[in-house]
Amino acid sequence: MGLCLTSGQVFRWSRNASDVWTGVDGPNWFRILQLEERLIVETNGQTSDLERFFQLHLSARDVIHSILSAGPELEPYLGFGRGLRVLRYADPVECLFTFLCSANNHVPRISAMVRHLATLGPPLEGLAEQRRFPGVERLAAVTEEELRSAGFGYRAASLPKVAALLRERGGDAYVWSLQDAEYEEARDELISLPSVGPKLADCIALFGLGFGESVPVDTHIWKAATRIYFPNYAGLSLTPQKYEEFATFFKKRFGANAGWAHQALFYEGLLNWRSR
DNA sequence: TACGGACCTTTC
DNA sequence: AAAGGTCCGT
């Protein structure tokens, strides 16, 4: 539980004093207290909203078992069984713009940028201090200057550009409709957006559209991949071709669970980092 | 195709 | 310097 809210999948969650987590996802806010195996939850939403967010319909035990039988080499890195999960955004538009903020960036700043965008959205039911992430229409009305002065850097130009293009394609409904496409098609649509490359497209496909076979390869995943699978590539940069090579290999190996297996590589990175 | 560098800004 | 990249030059 603790890990998955700080593992770079979502950026609107924070740990309050003690073991209480609060966060916003789509139209819902949550205040969660974890006691052993039980969650005490305060929310404006339904139980099903939280179940969806944590993808509780997927049994971590089953997924881990499946990953182990396909890739026993990941056994040392499945310690995430204690709570690291692949999360699912309620709103793919929120996911898309969140990950636009994430490119070549670090977590504290990503969170600040997402927080800024969220101030532009409609109020959340029953919670005064936070707002829902805005939709395409509102985001298309944001100016570059506004985002510049809010510290968005060069993304100040790309975000409104993407919003305008999305609006041309049908706005929120277009983004939501990508959930019903095949993974490859959805990914291609996303990559056709400026500032969205393979990595962001795969993050959006995995966390926002629910494509479990998606494998986002960032610099940390790439380093883990070279340690475990491609020692010959150690130290080499992640070119588009190597990205595809590894993603294809990993998808073939783990199928619909590739996105979860990829979390094991993230965990390997954590262990590797801690051991230094 | 495959590298190098630029791009905004903050943080380690 | 590096940051969970992308794009545009060689």
Side-chain angles (χ1 to χ4, degrees):
Chain A
M1 156 74 72
L3 270 178
C4 64
L5 298 176
T6 53
S7 61
Q9 301 182 52
V10 290
F11 301 89
R12 296 196 69 189
W13 289 75
S14 58
R15 188 206 286 272
N16 305 34
S18 72
D19 285 334
V20 180
W21 288 85
T22 56
V24 177
D25 176 51
N28 302 124
W29 56 267
F30 302 95
R31 187 187 307 275
I32 303 177
L33 170 64
Q34 184 172 31
L35 291 176
E36 306 291 328
E37 295 297 297
R38 285 190 182 286
L39 298 182
I40 313 295
V41 181
E42 187 185 353
T43 176
N44 63 327
Q46 308 292 318
T47 302
S48 58
D49 293 317
L50 197 67
E51 289 172 346
R52 202 180 112 99
F53 179 66
F54 286 113
Q55 305 215 72
L56 295 183
H57 62 284
L58 296 175
S59 152
R61 188 188 318 206
D62 291 349
V63 171
I64 286 170
H65 179 78
S66 162
I67 290 173
L68 263 181
S69 59
E73 70 281 359
L74 292 186
E75 197 274 332
Y77 317 117
L78 291 171
F80 68 76
R82 296 190 333 123
L84 186 58
R85 304 180 66 88
V86 171
L87 301 175
R88 176 74 190 274
Y89 281 66
D91 179 356
V93 173
E94 176 172 355
C95 182
L96 199 164
F97 284 90
T98 293
F99 280 95
L100 270 177
C101 295
S102 78
N104 188 23
N105 211 348
H106 47 83
V107 172
R109 188 170 173 223
I110 298 167
S111 304
M113 290 162 70
V114 170
R115 201 178 309 130
H116 177 88
L117 292 177
T119 64
L120 307 175
L124 279 172
E125 186 188 325
L127 191 71
E129 59 267 30
Q130 301 250 39
R131 288 174 169 265
R132 173 174 186 165
F133 200 89
V136 169
E137 203 61 38
R138 178 66 184 90
L139 289 164
V142 177
T143 65
E144 174 177 349
E145 303 78 65
E146 177 186 343
L147 295 182
R148 284 272 169 194
S149 58
F152 276 59
Y154 57 82
R155 300 163 202 84
S158 54
L159 262 65
K161 231 171 260 176
V162 169
L165 187 50
L166 288 174
R167 187 175 52 178
E168 282 175 30
R169 293 186 186 180
D172 294 302
Y174 162 75
V175 180
W176 284 72
S177 75
L178 297 177
Q179 295 176 116
D180 304 318
E182 296 295 318
Y183 162 69
E184 310 287 350
E185 188 195 340
R187 187 176 190 267
D188 289 345
E189 290 284 319
L190 292 169
I191 289 181
S192 74
L193 298 167
S195 309
V196 178
K199 195 273 179 180
L200 295 198
D202 278 325
C203 283
I204 299 160
L206 182 61
F207 308 126
L209 302 174
F211 291 103
E213 67 267 50
S214 181
V215 183
V217 187
D218 59 45
T219 71
H220 301 298
I221 296 292
W222 174 240
K223 282 175 186 159
T226 61
R227 283 190 290 263
I228 300 174
Y229 294 106
F230 298 132
N232 291 344
Y233 287 161
L236 299 185
S237 63
L238 179 59
T239 63
Q241 195 170 82
K242 293 205 199 69
Y243 188 110
E244 295 308 324
E245 181 182 357
F246 173 68
T248 303
F249 158 78
F250 212 62
K251 254 171 276 200
K252 184 170 277 183
R253 197 170 185 79
F254 297 105
N257 291 322
W260 283 72
H262 136 279
Q263 291 298 99
L265 295 187
F266 177 85
Y267 190 65
E268 193 271 355
L270 273 186
L271 294 177
N272 194 271
W273 184 77
R274 276 178 191 162
S275 68
R276 290 190 311 157

